[in-house]
Amino acid sequence: MLQVCALISDAGGPLPNEDAAGHHGDWAWVIDGATGVSGATIEGLSDAAWFARAVDQTLRRVLPDSGHLPTDAVLRRVVEDCTQAFAQATRDVPRAWHERPSAAFALLRRLGERLEMTTLGDCQIIHRAEDGQARVFGASAIPAFEERTLAAARRALDEAPDLTPAGLWDQVVDQLRANRRCMNAGGGYWVLSTDTDALAHVDRATIPVDGGPVALASDGFLRLIDMFGRATAADFLGLDDQAKAESALRDLRRIEAADDPHHGHLRLKRSDDASFILVRPA
């Protein structure tokens, strides 16, 4: 079993949360839906919010009967179920491949005296290695594609420094669409979507069960480390109760609010959805 010490999943603004986080028995996860580039909605939600919820709900439904299955088989069933739900929800609105919903995820599973870490996309898992140092697990090609978007944003702001957030989005959306066409393709990047091919590209490792904390986080919460430099991986392992995690989230939101997203730490969203879960093997 995994004991949950803290769990955060917070929308970065007034729109519905495009992240999800959860746990069941020997499993814990965070999911980060990728903001759609088509502007379409599914059942009144953005593609990203719909897909993150669909994956989260499917995990909660299938895990109670999946203890004997390999993780890849569980993930295949999740993708197949979500693909079927997507087809039913959009049967009258065909989507191009790059307009299909997608999400990054991090998944932790206890297997006896080992912990299995699985990631796809830019969600990551933090654990303490045998040398006592905090380590971040999970590699992805997504940052290289995000840098292309930021480069387009810099060019747009150089030409028009007073662009509104909506205006900047209009300037970079073609780059975002170009990036999305590289989803789950050779030479591109791999994320969870409505195809099972990506499951061959997960990042996976196992570590011993030592009773120490393990944290899972979406890139929105990881901003504290990666973007703003206000926390370390070791700090995340210290967020071992709900009050500490909520305090870290408040710090993040204060930093985001004070920092100009166009002329400070460049980003398309001033505040991003943020998910974090810290567990200990019970």
Side-chain angles (χ1 to χ4, degrees), residues 44-103:
L45 296 171
S46 69
D47 283 7
W50 180 89
F51 193 59
R53 293 184 187 191
V55 174
D56 178 72
Q57 291 168 2
T58 305
L59 281 167
R60 295 174 189 274
R61 185 177 70 252
V62 305
L63 287 182
D65 300 320
S66 301
H68 62 292
L69 292 176
T71 301
D72 282 343
V74 173
L75 290 173
R76 179 173 291 273
R77 180 176 172 187
V78 169
V79 171
E80 290 172 345
D81 286 5
C82 290
T83 300
Q84 183 178 17
F86 173 73
Q88 292 173 345
T90 61
R91 58 185 177 273
D92 297 325
V93 187
R95 300 288 187 91
W97 179 258
H98 70 282
E99 294 176 341
R100 297 192 175 200
S102 62

Side-chain angles (χ1 to χ4, degrees), residues 117-129:
M117 303 181 293
T118 303
T119 66
L120 192 62
D122 53 1
C123 293
Q124 294 183 311
I125 299 175
I126 299 172
H127 65 98
R128 199 168 298 282

Side-chain angles (χ1 to χ4, degrees), residues 10-48:
D10 183 74
L15 297 177
N17 195 354
E18 295 181 339
D19 277 9
H23 59 94
H24 175 83
D26 291 327
W27 306 74
W29 60 87
V30 297
I31 303 158
D32 180 4
T35 299
V37 296
S38 68
T41 60
I42 306 174
E43 298 173 351
L45 296 171
S46 69
D47 283 7

Side-chain angles (χ1 to χ4, degrees), residues 17-272:
N17 195 354
E18 295 181 339
D19 277 9
H23 59 94
H24 175 83
D26 291 327
W27 306 74
W29 60 87
V30 297
I31 303 158
D32 180 4
T35 299
V37 296
S38 68
T41 60
I42 306 174
E43 298 173 351
L45 296 171
S46 69
D47 283 7
W50 180 89
F51 193 59
R53 293 184 187 191
V55 174
D56 178 72
Q57 291 168 2
T58 305
L59 281 167
R60 295 174 189 274
R61 185 177 70 252
V62 305
L63 287 182
D65 300 320
S66 301
H68 62 292
L69 292 176
T71 301
D72 282 343
V74 173
L75 290 173
R76 179 173 291 273
R77 180 176 172 187
V78 169
V79 171
E80 290 172 345
D81 286 5
C82 290
T83 300
Q84 183 178 17
F86 173 73
Q88 292 173 345
T90 61
R91 58 185 177 273
D92 297 325
V93 187
R95 300 288 187 91
W97 179 258
H98 70 282
E99 294 176 341
R100 297 192 175 200
S102 62
F105 77 92
L107 181 69
L108 185 71
R109 181 184 189 184
R110 179 169 185 168
L111 292 168
E113 294 307 305
R114 306 288 293 180
L115 293 174
E116 179 189 68
M117 303 181 293
T118 303
T119 66
L120 192 62
D122 53 1
C123 293
Q124 294 183 311
I125 299 175
I126 299 172
H127 65 98
R128 199 168 298 282
E130 293 182 7
D131 63 2
Q133 298 299 307
R135 296 281 187 267
V136 179
F137 175 80
S140 173
I142 288 177
F145 288 87
E146 290 182 338
E147 182 52 41
R148 298 179 188 181
T149 303
L150 293 178
R154 291 187 192 98
R155 291 192 295 270
L157 289 167
D158 285 344
E159 295 176 3
D162 296 329
L163 274 175
T164 65
L168 183 60
W169 175 270
D170 289 341
Q171 292 296 312
V172 303
V173 69
D174 285 344
Q175 181 62 58
L176 290 168
R177 289 173 179 147
N179 292 350
R180 198 62 57 87
R181 292 187 186 100
C182 297
M183 176 181 74
N184 292 356
Y189 64 94
W190 299 91
V191 286
L192 205 64
S193 187
T194 56
D195 66 291
T196 57
D197 292 347
L199 297 181
H201 298 272
V202 299
D203 208 6
R204 177 168 292 141
T206 64
I207 56 175
V209 171
D210 63 4
V214 179
L216 297 79
S218 69
D219 68 336
F221 203 90
L222 286 162
R223 281 181 169 189
L224 280 167
I225 297 175
D226 300 336
M227 181 176 291
F228 298 116
R230 299 294 287 270
T232 66
D235 292 333
F236 272 31
L237 293 181
L239 303 178
D240 53 4
D241 64 38
Q242 190 67 19
K244 293 177 183 177
E246 290 176 356
S247 177
L249 177 66
R250 289 192 296 272
D251 287 344
L252 171 63
R253 297 309 188 209
R254 281 194 292 267
I255 295 166
E256 289 174 328
D259 184 82
D260 183 345
H262 289 181
H263 305 290
H265 292 84
L266 183 61
R267 55 201 189 275
L268 295 185
K269 297 179 181 179
R270 178 181 288 273
S271 294
D272 197 6

